[in-house]
Amino acid sequence: MLNNLTTTLAASGATLIVFLAAVALYKRKKTLLFLPLLVTTAISVLFLLLSGITYQHYQEAVSWISSFLGPAVVALAIPLYRQLPLIKKYFRPLIISITTGALFGVVSGFMLGALVGLKMAFLQPLLTKSVTAPVAMDIMALLNGNTTLAAILVTIAGLTGAIVSGTLFKWTHISHFIGRGVAFGASAHAIGTAKALEHSEAEGAISSIAMIVCAIIVSIAVPVGETILLTMGW
C-alpha cells in the first residue's frame, strides 16, 4: 500500500512539475521544441527509464490527471459562445470544409495503411488519428480495436500538426483565421485547438467546432467503413 502511494505521489508530482515548468518555458520562448506536451512526454519517458517505474504503474498513478480532460474540452464552449455570430455567418462553408477534412483524414489513413500492407488490427487506430483521444478510444472500444495504439496515434497527429502547421500555412499561403482554425481542428484536434487559441479566440473557436464536427463524422464513418470493408472480404 505504501509503495503504491509513493509511486502515485512521485509520478503525479513529477508529471505536474514538469508540465508546469514546460508551460512556463514555452511562454518565455515560444519555439516548437518547447511545446509543453512534447517536453512533458519526453521527460516523462526519461523519468520512467531512470526510476525503474513500469509504464503500467505510471499510468495507474497518473490516471486521475486524465479526469481533467473532460472539463477542459467542455471549457472550449466559452470561446464558441463568444464567437457564435461568426460561426453562424460562415456556417455553410465551415460544415463543407470540416466534413471534407474529416473524411480526408479517414481516407488518407486507410490509403496509407493499405499501401504499407497493415492488417485491420493496426489499420483501425490509424483511421481515428485525427479526432480527440477519448473519441478515438471509444470508437476502438466499439470495434474491439487497440485503444492504446489509437491514443498514441492521436497524440502523434496532434503534435505533428502543432509543430508543422506554421511551415505548412506559409507554404500554402493560408493566413485567414478560419482556414487555419479548420485545419487545426480537423487534423490536430485538441492539441491543434490549443495552438489555434494562441493566435486568437476566433481561430480557437473555429478549431473547436471543427474538432467537434470531425468527432461526429469520424464516429459514423469509421464503423460504417469497416463494415463495408469486411463485407467486401478485405
Side-chain angles (χ1 to χ4, degrees):
M1 181 69 179
L2 184 59
N3 288 337
N4 291 338
L5 179 60
T6 302
T7 301
T8 299
L9 292 175
S12 299
T15 301
L16 291 174
I17 290 172
V18 169
F19 179 74
L20 293 175
V23 170
L25 179 63
Y26 185 67
K27 287 181 178 179
R28 294 187 62 181
K29 193 171 181 63
K30 289 192 175 184
T31 62
L32 298 177
L33 293 178
F34 291 158
L35 281 171
L37 185 57
L38 182 62
V39 172
T40 305
T41 300
I43 295 180
S44 294
V45 171
L46 183 62
F47 170 75
L48 293 180
L49 292 174
L50 295 177
S51 67
I53 299 175
T54 65
Y55 173 73
Q56 182 180 359
H57 289 156
Y58 174 78
Q59 186 180 38
E60 293 174 354
V62 300
S63 60
W64 65 274
I65 297 177
S66 301
S67 63
F68 290 100
L69 182 60
V73 173
V74 173
L76 293 174
I78 297 175
L80 273 177
Y81 177 76
R82 289 174 177 169
Q83 300 298 325
L84 194 56
L86 178 68
I87 294 172
K88 289 181 178 179
K89 181 180 179 180
Y90 294 101
F91 182 77
R92 182 175 295 180
L94 278 175
I95 292 299
I96 294 174
S97 58
I98 293 169
T99 301
T100 302
L103 294 177
F104 180 79
V106 174
V107 173
S108 63
F110 171 75
M111 292 180 66
L112 177 62
L115 184 65
V116 298
L118 291 180
K119 294 182 179 180
M120 185 61 75
F122 295 99
L123 183 59
Q124 284 178 326
L126 195 59
L127 303 180
T128 61
K129 67 185 184 305
S130 297
V131 296
T132 190
V135 176
M137 294 174 72
D138 282 345
I139 295 173
M140 286 301 98
L142 177 66
L143 301 177
N144 296 318
N146 191 326
T147 56
T148 302
L149 182 57
I152 292 173
L153 291 176
V154 164
T155 303
I156 293 174
L159 284 173
T160 302
I163 291 172
V164 306
S165 59
T167 302
L168 287 179
F169 290 153
K170 186 176 181 179
W171 285 352
T172 55
H173 303 288
I174 298 177
S175 57
H176 199 280
F177 70 92
I178 291 181
R180 294 190 306 192
V182 170
F184 274 127
S187 62
H189 41 82
I191 300 175
T193 299
K195 186 68 176 177
L197 282 168
E198 292 181 9
H199 300 152
S200 69
E201 184 178 88
E203 186 172 319
I206 298 299
S207 182
S208 297
I209 194 68
M211 180 178 68
I212 294 168
V213 175
C214 277
I216 296 171
I217 294 173
V218 173
S219 295
I220 298 171
V222 171
V224 171
E226 179 175 312
T227 301
I228 295 173
L229 289 174
L230 292 176
T231 302
M232 296 172 59
W234 196 85

